[in-house]
Amino acid sequence: MARIVMKFGGTSMAGIERIRSVAARVKRERDAGNEVAVVVSAMAGETDRLVGFCREASALYDPREYDVVVSAGEQITAGLLAIALQAIGCPARSWLGWQLPVRTSDAHARARIDGIDTAALDAALAAGEVAVVPGFQGLAEAGRVTTLGRGGSDTSAVALAAAMRADRCDIYTDVDGVYTTDPRIVPRARKLARVTYEEMLELASVGAKVLQTRSVGLAMKERVRVQVLSSFVGPDAPMADTLPGTMIVGEEDRMEQQLITGIAHDKNEAKITLTDVPDRPGAVAAIFAPLADAGINVDMIVQNVAHSTGSTDVTFTVPAADLPRSLDVLATGQGRIGYACLVHDTRVAKVSVVGVGMRSHAGVAATMFTTLGERGINVQAITTSEIKVSVLIEEDYTELAVRVLHTAYGLDAVDAN
């Protein structure tokens, strides 16, 4: 018998028929003798609809009331799944975030989980009942409902699995695993049997949309075994522990030690260049400190060689959605920074190669630059970590870059059609 947390995303819960399909899959796990807790997202599109209502009601809405509204989507699907399970003879009940409780910080709309009381869940599971928990929501110390930020249901599932000491956390989504790259761009992409926490964290942070970044970081910290599976499989599909999904594991459990695990891309980037910034101590801090204070994450940074005039150009990237705020912050601080001109460009994309094998192999970056150069793709900025190299390129070359790099690193599936 295993203790399992099953998490189903918005596309899996999009309508009563899909909820019934989820209920049938959950019942099979429970009937196999496993203890099962389920974490659910809101129906696809529902959170956006609720956010829209808040903005329509007031542009300056109270974040505490915002959380009350947007957390309702998961509450609805949790109740509906419990009803669907009961209808097919499977004992089940829903447990809202405040009922357990899932204790969080009081940072409304972006709360972090502090701890989960699992006593009630442990008793329910021991009695053979399926516990259905809405993701994305929790309870602040002041007694107010909180939400974890977009994509927070993945984090809820991993946190619950850690608190319950579950054997694994199965995350069901609209893809059947983690691939070496986006199969829509590269049909020869291969599904990976295992990916390390670090690799998945890097892939998620540079554009892979399979798992939310915070959930991967939490899984790595708490050593939760996470499996990515497709919820769109037939009712007679094998049990989850035999399905060929992707397991997210520690590096010591990784069987393959290939050089590169995957290629990711992200078009949600905007490039900003400040020209003629004074080349003196503190000048760069005057640029990035105000951006940090505004909650804007800066990614790639390039500082050019100083001009003979005693100035330099500074180029960096921010999320495209944060570009208007970034421009406002920089315009407000122009006098303090002392730059001459601000230029921005949204027609850029970040392409990254990720793999733990980089730690012990030289030449990864050289292969990347050579491959892109041979296809006439100019590199505008570079950033690296121990297991990742990312470059900024013109957006129109994104798909070509992904395809040629996928081939250059030997990731193409031999038997692909």
Side-chain angles (χ1 to χ4, degrees), residues 24-87:
R25 178 159 290 279
V26 172
K27 183 176 185 296
R28 289 183 65 202
E29 291 287 356
R30 186 256 183 189
D31 289 349
N34 296 320
E35 293 183 343
V36 182
V38 186
V39 174
V40 295
S41 297
M43 293 184 185
E46 181 65 9
T47 301
D48 287 336
R49 188 176 74 93
L50 296 173
V51 170
F53 285 153
C54 292
R55 291 172 175 167
E56 186 177 347
S58 173
L60 300 175
Y61 52 74
D62 184 339
R64 295 167 297 184
E65 302 305 339
Y66 168 93
D67 277 354
V68 172
V69 174
V70 300
S71 64
E74 282 75 13
Q75 177 173 323
I76 291 168
T77 50
L80 289 173
L81 180 57
I83 291 171
L85 284 164
Q86 294 165 4

Side-chain angles (χ1 to χ4, degrees), residues 217-362:
L218 182 60
M220 181 166 64
K221 175 177 177 289
E222 300 293 339
R223 311 304 288 180
V224 175
R225 290 171 64 87
V226 177
Q227 185 172 206
V228 179
L229 301 161
S230 174
S231 58
F232 299 103
V233 293
D236 298 325
M239 298 297 287
D241 56 358
T242 62
L243 280 172
T246 299
M247 189 72 75
I248 317 299
V249 297
E251 190 170 343
E252 65 277 6
D253 296 324
R254 174 79 180 273
M255 299 296 292
E256 302 175 38
Q257 290 297 327
Q258 61 193 45
L259 175 60
I260 298 300
T261 295
I263 314 293
H265 71 283
D266 188 1
K267 295 183 178 180
N268 183 35
E269 294 280 323
K271 182 178 71 170
I272 297 174
T273 298
L274 302 181
T275 65
D276 292 328
V277 176
D279 187 20
R280 62 171 182 252
V284 174
I287 298 171
F288 297 114
L291 292 171
D293 292 341
I296 298 168
N297 292 321
V298 174
D299 186 9
M300 300 177 165
I301 302 174
V302 177
Q303 184 171 0
N304 296 329
V305 177
H307 305 313
S308 58
T309 57
S311 63
T312 185
D313 298 338
V314 179
T315 297
F316 55 93
T317 62
V318 298
D322 288 336
L323 178 61
R325 286 196 302 137
S326 301
L327 297 179
D328 181 63
V329 168
L330 294 168
T332 301
Q334 182 174 10
R336 182 174 60 257
I337 300 169
Y339 65 86
C341 183
L342 185 157
V343 181
H344 65 274
D345 184 4
T346 58
R347 294 194 57 78
V348 294
K350 179 169 61 178
V351 176
S352 308
V353 297
V354 176
V356 293
M358 290 187 197
R359 290 194 178 116
S360 55
H361 291 78

